[in-house]
Amino acid sequence: MNTIMGLSRADCRGCYKCIRACPVKSLSCRDEQVRVVDGECIYCGRCLLICPQNAKYIRDDLEKVRSAIAAGEKLYASVEPSCLAAFPGVDMGRMAAALSALGFVHAEPVTVGAAQVTRAYDIASASWKAPNLITTACPSIYLLVQRHYPDLVEQLAPTVGFAVAHARIIRQIYGPRARVVSIGPCISQKYDAQDGENGSAVFASLTFSELAAWFTAAGIDPREMRRKPMGAVADEYFARPGGVIHHLARETRRKWECVAVDGVDRCTEVLDSVRRDGLSGYFLELTACAGGCLGGPILRMMNVPYLKAKDALVHGPGQGTPGPRLLTQGVEADLGRSFRKLAPRRSPIREEDITAVLARMGKTSVKQELNCGCCGYGTCREKAVAVIHGKADINMCVPYMRELAESMSATVVENIPTGVLILNEKLQVEHINPAAVALLHVQGEVCGRSVGALLPSNDFYQVLSTGENILHHKVRYEKPGIVVAQSVVRVQSARTVIVLLEDITHKELESEKHRVVTEETAQFAREVVEKQMRVVQQIAGLLGETAMETKLALSKLTNTLVEQAGEEHDAGH
């Protein structure tokens, strides 16, 4: 796992922008997720700066430093002079006071170590045997050589970087228990702090953005601090390209062709030339960031332009009355270190393996190798090599995926049973699939003709005028003798109109038959009901006559019985 930089998988969208920007292609993309490849990254910060989703992050060492202070450890700060650009209006004296307020025992500029590193280069160059001498002040540069130009490792100066040199000097003066924290605009300093070859002289490394967050959380404004006396130190040139060469001894500059190169792209160009052309006699001061430390990734993340940073360094607030000479100034310490080849070991790649991967991407000829760079790799062959190394997927090839999508779309359109017509903005047929040809009984050439000649419907014009799609509209076309469920969809971005015709003629015939049967059945039911009603009425009439006769007979009988009863009653009396 990469311990310096990481990536939030939830935020990564697989746009390949970081892969295109990475100068050493130390990123892999598998399953649509980009990862930082441990052992290949040089921590230049390009991917961090260019990621549109802010998916990359840097290891935060704040908690480690805070915990050490809380535990009573004595922490010393080694501050890169470009802090004047990161914190406008703050000189080194006020910065030292602000750091003391955070709990640091002491703070001073890293240029104390830079001066001694330059002296070490002077000493080494006098007896140097390698063809060229490459400076190692920038951790990203020595990692670039170790991991990607291992054959040039012997040309690296056997000297530590500025921050490590300063840390060794501080520990020599203040004792081995001194904990040194480097503070600067650099990401690779975090690697330098943990590099075992440096003897762990640096306890931790904070970026300017981490320090700014700490100041905010602690309620400290460095601009309002009372300036601490600060002894005169080496000037600001070390933060700019060519700073080391500027301070080299005259004898060293006479012996070597001194060249300062900044920016990873230019540095790799120089290293390629050294490797390819066998150049010699050069003192190469290489810096990964364009503009030197003033162009560091953290300053760029803090939106500090290069010229503003340079102006802050050269014309920033004065230091006031110089304080006493720093105890570390002029102190010589062991600044030596060794470098070794760290390039990943890989099996040789056969040409047939590359050809096989290219074929899987639909590139069976040189003409098909577009080398468009959309995937992040300069050429299709580089992409194929990355696939073989397990760093890339086939589907990262944008032209291949587009052709695949177009092929799949064409296959679907040509084989679905639904009729499909594709129209241009003038409602002229640009494509018609076989199902539509059979459905409309089309003969002869159709493409280029107005859709109205085939399908006399107002739906197409309505969609163009209103912009609202029409879906599943039942339309009967008399000439072909069909009924269709017609959908008309306008694709605004492509300036086309898509017509979908679902043949529902059979359904309509069945529906018509069902309707006729239903109507006949209903008519029959009505006739039966009417006939039944007539019968009921006749029965009711008969029942009415019988009831009347029965009523009359019963009335007559009742009257007779009443009369008889009266007569019998009178006789008894």
Side-chain angles (χ1 to χ4, degrees):
M1 180 180 178
N2 192 302
T3 58
I4 308 299
M5 293 181 60
L7 181 140
S8 173
R9 297 190 65 182
D11 294 330
C12 180
R13 294 292 183 269
C15 66
Y16 316 137
K17 194 172 184 179
C18 57
I19 297 178
R20 288 192 292 273
C22 181
V24 293
K25 298 296 179 276
S26 62
L27 299 167
S28 69
C29 184
R30 302 302 304 273
D31 302 324
E32 299 184 357
Q33 287 291 325
V34 175
R35 299 172 179 83
V36 181
V37 179
D38 193 21
E40 295 187 24
C41 184
I42 62 173
Y43 312 114
C44 65
R46 270 200 190 177
C47 60
L48 191 76
L49 292 167
I50 207 168
C51 178
Q53 302 298 327
N54 295 319
K56 311 289 190 309
Y57 61 86
I58 312 169
R59 186 190 69 205
D60 193 330
D61 287 343
L62 265 181
E63 188 56 39
K64 178 180 180 181
V65 175
R66 285 173 173 166
S67 298
I69 291 176
E73 300 279 358
K74 293 184 177 182
L75 267 62
Y76 294 76
S78 173
V79 186
E80 219 282 335
S82 57
C83 69
L84 275 66
F87 300 92
V90 179
D91 57 30
M92 195 59 69
R94 285 192 172 88
M95 178 58 68
L99 290 170
S100 294
L102 289 176
F104 285 87
V105 175
H106 180 62
E108 57 185 51
V110 73
T111 47
V112 172
Q116 293 304 312
V117 168
T118 304
R119 176 173 168 77
Y121 291 152
D122 283 327
I123 296 171
S125 68
S127 57
W128 193 249
K129 302 299 182 184
N132 305 286
L133 192 152
I134 303 173
T135 61
T136 53
C138 175
S140 290
I141 292 300
Y142 75 67
L143 279 173
L144 174 65
V145 175
Q146 286 183 292
R147 293 179 170 179
H148 302 279
Y149 295 88
D151 51 315
L152 302 182
V153 165
E154 63 175 11
Q155 301 189 39
L156 290 172
T159 309
V160 296
F162 293 164
V164 176
H166 193 201
R168 289 187 181 182
I169 293 171
I170 289 175
R171 287 162 65 88
Q172 184 167 311
I173 296 298
Y174 295 101
R177 295 184 62 184
R179 300 274 190 159
V180 181
V181 178
S182 67
I183 303 174
C186 184
I187 298 173
S188 60
Q189 283 289 355
K190 289 184 179 286
Y191 177 86
D192 213 23
Q194 71 180 32
D195 186 5
E197 302 288 347
N198 285 328
S200 301
V202 178
F203 171 68
S205 178
L206 297 181
T207 63
F208 288 149
S209 56
E210 288 173 299
L211 181 60
W214 193 1
F215 280 145
T216 300
I220 296 173
D221 186 347
R223 295 171 299 182
E224 298 178 353
M225 302 302 295
R226 183 177 180 181
R227 182 187 293 112
K228 275 194 170 187
M230 184 68 62
V233 294
D235 58 41
E236 79 287 343
Y237 270 99
F238 283 116
R240 293 191 269 171
V244 169
I245 292 176
H246 179 81
H247 291 89
L248 284 176
R250 187 174 302 173
E251 293 77 10
T252 304
R253 291 200 298 268
R254 278 201 294 259
K255 179 180 178 180
W256 298 90
E257 180 70 29
C258 297
V259 178
V261 181
D262 58 314
V264 180
D265 291 334
R266 292 188 62 201
C267 288
T268 55
E269 181 182 341
V270 167
L271 293 173
D272 286 336
S273 183
V274 169
R275 169 189 280 172
R276 180 183 62 247
D277 304 325
L279 302 180
S280 62
Y282 284 90
F283 183 99
L284 298 173
E285 181 183 351
L286 305 185
T287 309
C289 295
C293 295
L294 293 179
I298 301 303
L299 284 176
R300 293 177 63 187
M301 288 177 63
M302 297 174 75
N303 297 318
V304 181
Y306 174 74
L307 288 180
K308 184 178 179 181
K310 182 180 178 182
D311 184 70
L313 203 63
V314 177
H315 305 293
Q319 296 293 335
T321 304
R325 180 183 174 88
L326 295 172
L327 296 178
T328 52
Q329 282 185 265
V331 174
E332 295 184 1
D334 178 15
L335 304 184
R337 67 155 295 169
S338 60
F339 294 96
R340 52 196 175 89
K341 300 177 181 181
L342 297 177
R345 295 181 179 179
R346 293 193 175 102
S347 303
I349 298 176
R350 300 176 303 172
E351 183 64 27
E352 50 264 38
D353 294 333
I354 296 177
T355 302
V357 173
L358 290 172
R360 289 169 58 195
M361 293 190 292
K363 305 179 189 303
T364 56
S365 67
V366 176
K367 186 178 180 180
Q368 292 173 311
E369 297 177 23
L370 301 180
N371 303 323
C372 62
C374 293
C375 62
Y377 295 91
T379 66
C380 295
R381 291 180 63 83
E382 289 180 24
K383 159 69 180 305
V385 171
V387 171
I388 294 171
H389 287 159
K391 295 172 62 176
D393 286 330
I394 293 291
N395 58 13
M396 288 171 62
C397 179
V398 176
Y400 165 71
M401 293 301 294
R402 184 177 64 243
E403 291 175 4
L404 182 61
E406 290 174 352
S407 175
M408 292 176 64
S409 299
T411 301
V412 171
V413 169
E414 293 302 304
N415 291 279
I416 60 174
T418 301
V420 179
L421 291 90
I422 300 177
L423 316 177
N424 59 24
E425 285 192 320
K426 296 180 180 179
L427 297 182
Q428 295 171 329
V429 179
E430 291 191 343
H431 181 78
I432 181 170
N433 74 338
V437 171
L439 178 63
L440 302 177
H441 307 295
V442 173
Q443 295 181 350
E445 183 61 36
V446 175
C447 294
R449 294 171 58 185
S450 173
V451 69
L454 296 174
L455 303 171
S457 171
N458 291 324
D459 288 359
F460 316 113
Y461 306 97
Q462 182 178 337
V463 168
L464 279 183
S465 61
T466 65
E468 296 182 2
N469 299 329
I470 296 176
L471 304 177
H472 308 297
H473 179 205
K474 185 169 72 174
V475 183
R476 183 182 299 274
Y477 290 109
E478 299 297 340
K479 187 176 180 181
I482 59 173
V483 182
V484 296
Q486 179 172 279
S487 296
V488 184
V489 179
R490 185 176 186 181
V491 184
Q492 192 72 33
S493 59
R495 297 184 178 181
T496 58
V497 175
I498 298 177
V499 181
L500 303 177
L501 303 174
E502 181 185 355
D503 186 7
I504 59 173
T505 306
H506 180 71
K507 293 181 181 178
E508 284 297 301
L509 290 175
E510 291 296 323
S511 178
E512 182 65 19
K513 289 180 180 179
H514 182 267
R515 184 184 63 80
V516 171
V517 170
T518 301
E519 289 183 356
E520 291 177 349
T521 302
Q523 181 62 28
F524 178 75
R526 283 195 294 269
E527 292 176 356
V528 169
V529 169
E530 290 176 358
K531 185 177 182 180
Q532 291 296 324
M533 288 301 297
R534 287 195 298 270
V535 172
V536 168
Q537 290 173 356
Q538 292 175 357
I539 294 174
L542 293 175
L543 289 175
E545 294 177 0
T546 305
M548 181 58 66
E549 291 176 356
T550 302
K551 180 179 178 182
L552 292 173
L554 290 174
S555 297
K556 186 177 181 179
L557 177 62
T558 301
N559 292 334
T560 301
L561 291 175
V562 170
E563 290 176 356
Q564 290 179 356
E567 290 175 359
E568 291 177 357
H569 182 273
D570 293 339
H573 289 286

